[in-house]
Amino acid sequence: MRIAMIGTGYVGLVSGACFADFGHQVICVDKDDAKIAALTRGEIPIFEPGLHDIVRNNTREGRLSFTNSLAEPVAQADAVFIAVGTPSRRGDGHADLSYVFATAREIATAVSGFTVIVTKSTVPIGTGDQIETIINDLRPDADVCVVSNPEFLREGAAIRDFKLPDRIVVGSDDQRARELMAELYRPLYLNSSPILYTGRRTAELIKYAANAFLATKITFINEVADLCEKVGADVKEVARGIGLDNRIGSKFLHAGPGYGGSCFPKDTLAFIKIGQDNEAPQRIIETVAAVNEQRKRAMARKVASALGGNLHGKSIAVLGLTFKPNTDDMRDAPSIAVITALQDMGARVRAYDPAGIEQARALLSDVTYCENAYLCAAGAEALVIVTEWEQFRALDLAQLKSVMVNPVIVDLRNVYRPSDMHKHGFVYHSIGRPTLTANQSPPELETSLDRQNGMEVEL
Ligand SMILES: NC(=O)c1ccc[n+]([C@@H]2O[C@H](COP(=O)([O-])OP(=O)(O)OC[C@H]3O[C@@H](n4cnc5c(N)ncnc54)[C@H](O)[C@@H]3O)[C@@H](O)[C@H]2O)c1
């Protein structure tokens, strides 16, 4: 099958490369000339594990190519995917659909023969109807079906998620479109990833409901963590204790600094607006968004209280800037709010991230960016772990302690065992777990979960 993939960001590039890997003929289109030039040179403009090899192999074998001009790929395509951005509209939180509608207008001018237009971008309910109207108005002769096919991949694990999805949602009542979509995804269907066929509006809603639910789960355990700190309970054990219940499930129950990233913040806001516009307010998500928003600055206050309440003139080392490990994406990363709040309290911030520094420079000023974790910690009065990159899970604690002014760690991702940190002479603050003071005995506070599992990873 011939595919035109419009938008080569985190979703479009991964989807295009994976479809080519399935054997389809894919042309990726982007209006960003620099991105297309880089891709044509074989350079990958984003950090995504495994993507480089897939792009290189499929380009070499002639199934994947890149262009800044939409006309020819769209004219030749059986399926045209819209994978452009849908950020929050400035000022009101609605999804900004200007890129989607601009793309639809361009597609209308170029489309030829029976073509399925597939919306992969996350869009409000009814957007598929609007795309259909745009195309029908501009090209009444066009033989097109507009399908919703929301994407659920996670940055940092995007290739795996695309190739082994929990489900594929196809929103269309048109039989020709359903058959074409089944053919596109046939390699996955053979691997027994179920295809869920729904109406278009239902598919659009599924995407928002999924993200809203996950954001709720994270926010729920974050509030439980706050309670744990007050009553002397351990949130990791609570999460384990509830997560082993199959009705609840263990994923997205890791307490932390609040959700961020390219999707949850904007999609929860858009979902709230959709609910309000349709007189079906989503009050749970309204609360989730508000609670999450306040949490990030509260993390900076946690750092301040670890240092006796005053950060003025103090050097604070921050490990991890991206919104999650294994990506360079800084969109709405919790680190931005945490660092800004630390600076507002007078702290001098040093930071290290394995992949995000370039993007962070554009978003955070007056930060000293360092080349590794130990240089970052040098001279710091406290070290804050904001993103749980793998390399931060196995730091040389003796070396770390030797370069810091105070042995104070505030771990916003619970990657270490309190008892281990205590043994290494750190004052260790984490989320929803007891903080050991110098005269407490570590084994009393080491939990069975610490002993059995140590560190857990969730992307
Ligand atoms: N990033 C994720 O993890 C993720 C996961 C699931 C769904 N989504 C959704 O997928 C969509 C894309 O997200 P992303 O993170 O890949 O965005 P992105 O910002 O990384 O990429 C969007 C790309 O579209 C290009 N573009 C915009 N208008 C264009 C046009 N008219 N013609 C050609 N190219 C155009 C931009 O130049 C950019 O390269 C969004 O709706 C997002 O909510 C994202």
Side-chain angles (χ1 to χ4, degrees):
M1 294 239 151
R2 301 185 77 90
I3 295 174
M5 183 68 63
I6 318 297
T8 58
Y10 290 85
V11 165
L13 185 55
V14 169
S15 308
C18 289
F19 274 130
D21 218 36
F22 296 163
H24 299 304
Q25 204 65 38
V26 181
I27 305 180
C28 288
V29 183
D30 206 290
K31 62 173 188 185
D32 181 336
D33 292 340
K35 210 175 244 187
I36 292 300
L39 285 163
T40 308
R41 285 194 303 271
E43 295 163 17
I44 306 297
I46 56 172
F47 180 96
E48 181 60 49
L51 185 58
H52 190 270
D53 287 351
I54 286 202
V55 169
R56 189 195 49 215
N57 294 346
N58 285 282
T59 309
R60 196 170 46 207
E61 287 167 25
R63 288 190 298 270
L64 182 63
S65 58
F66 304 96
T67 176
N68 57 8
S69 167
L70 168 153
E72 205 177 310
V74 167
Q76 293 169 357
D78 302 299
V80 178
F81 281 78
I82 300 176
V84 300
T86 49
S88 274
R89 196 163 68 187
R90 199 178 289 267
D92 68 4
H94 280 96
D96 177 354
L97 293 174
S98 56
Y99 303 104
V100 170
F101 292 150
T103 305
R105 284 190 289 273
E106 284 185 71
I107 292 170
T109 60
V111 75
S112 153
F114 175 62
T115 312
V116 175
I117 317 286
V118 190
T119 313
K120 212 166 225 339
S121 300
T122 302
V123 293
I125 297 93
T127 302
D129 304 355
Q130 290 173 280
I131 294 171
E132 197 168 78
T133 303
I134 289 171
I135 293 176
N136 287 342
D137 283 353
L138 290 170
R139 283 285 304 279
D141 61 305
D143 185 13
V144 299
C145 279
V146 178
V147 172
S148 167
N149 172 221
E151 182 52 56
F152 300 96
L153 64 75
R154 296 161 298 174
E155 290 176 27
I159 307 282
R160 190 206 157 277
D161 282 353
F162 192 89
K163 291 193 162 187
L164 280 174
D166 292 336
R167 78 304 205 186
I168 300 149
V169 174
V170 172
S172 170
D173 293 324
D174 185 283
Q175 197 49 35
R176 286 188 303 172
R178 285 185 174 195
E179 281 167 15
L180 188 137
M181 294 300 287
E183 187 56 26
L184 283 179
Y185 280 108
R186 195 164 49 86
L188 296 186
Y189 197 58
L190 295 177
N191 287 343
S192 67
S193 291
I195 298 191
L196 177 66
Y197 294 103
T198 68
R200 195 163 60 201
R201 285 173 168 248
T202 301
E204 290 168 340
L205 181 48
I206 285 171
K207 175 63 190 176
Y208 280 107
N211 275 358
F213 190 84
L214 294 172
T216 303
K217 225 175 157 185
I218 294 170
T219 307
F220 172 79
I221 202 67
N222 284 341
E223 286 204 318
V224 171
D226 292 345
L227 182 58
C228 286
E229 288 177 19
K230 301 282 186 205
V231 301
D234 182 325
V235 74
K236 282 189 96 163
E237 291 208 319
V238 173
R240 182 85 164 167
I242 63 173
L244 284 170
D245 184 329
N246 285 333
R247 294 169 302 178
I248 296 173
S250 60
K251 300 283 164 102
F252 281 77
L253 284 180
H254 294 280
Y259 62 77
S262 55
C263 292
F264 284 0
K266 78 172 177 70
D267 291 348
T268 46
L269 279 188
F271 194 47
I272 290 165
K273 294 295 170 187
I274 293 165
Q276 289 167 352
D277 283 356
N278 288 283
E279 291 175 16
Q282 299 296 301
R283 293 197 189 91
I284 292 172
I285 308 307
E286 287 174 10
T287 305
V288 163
V291 168
N292 190 67
E293 192 51 37
Q294 287 162 26
R295 185 169 186 82
K296 298 172 199 171
R297 280 181 80 85
M299 295 298 107
R301 292 195 291 277
K302 189 177 176 76
V303 178
S305 75
L307 288 181
N310 182 8
L311 289 182
H312 195 75
K314 292 186 176 160
S315 173
I316 307 294
V318 171
L319 294 188
L321 295 168
T322 52
F323 83 93
K324 65 192 297 191
N326 291 323
T327 182
D328 57 349
D329 199 341
M330 282 293 297
R331 284 178 284 185
D332 266 320
S335 67
I336 299 169
V338 173
I339 288 175
T340 308
L342 290 171
Q343 291 173 328
D344 289 347
M345 286 186 253
R348 290 177 290 117
V349 175
R350 311 164 59 74
Y352 168 66
D353 187 279
I357 289 178
E358 202 181 310
Q359 291 204 22
R361 280 186 203 281
L363 298 166
L364 289 161
S365 49
D366 295 327
V367 172
T368 304
Y369 293 101
C370 306
E371 280 175 27
N372 62 46
Y374 305 100
L375 288 172
C376 182
E381 305 209 25
L383 179 136
V384 189
I385 300 175
V386 179
T387 313
E388 68 279 32
W389 282 88
E390 201 62 34
Q391 61 177 259
F392 302 153
R393 293 176 180 273
L395 293 167
D396 180 333
L397 297 176
Q399 189 184 347
L400 201 63
K401 186 158 175 267
S402 73
V403 298
M404 292 178 68
V405 170
N406 286 329
V408 174
I409 292 190
V410 182
D411 177 359
L412 302 182
R413 297 291 183 174
N414 286 350
V415 298
Y416 285 98
R417 295 173 190 159
S419 55
D420 284 352
M421 298 308 264
H422 185 266
K423 271 184 229 150
H424 280 86
F426 283 100
V427 179
Y428 176 70
H429 302 261
S430 55
I431 302 284
R433 297 187 299 174
T435 298
L436 293 180
T437 56
N439 44 12
Q440 273 177 300
S441 144
E444 283 170 31
L445 289 166
E446 185 179 286
T447 66
S448 63
L449 181 62
D450 281 335
R451 282 193 296 274
Q452 286 161 20
N453 297 298
M455 301 170 265
E456 291 185 11
V457 186
E458 183 182 288
L459 286 170

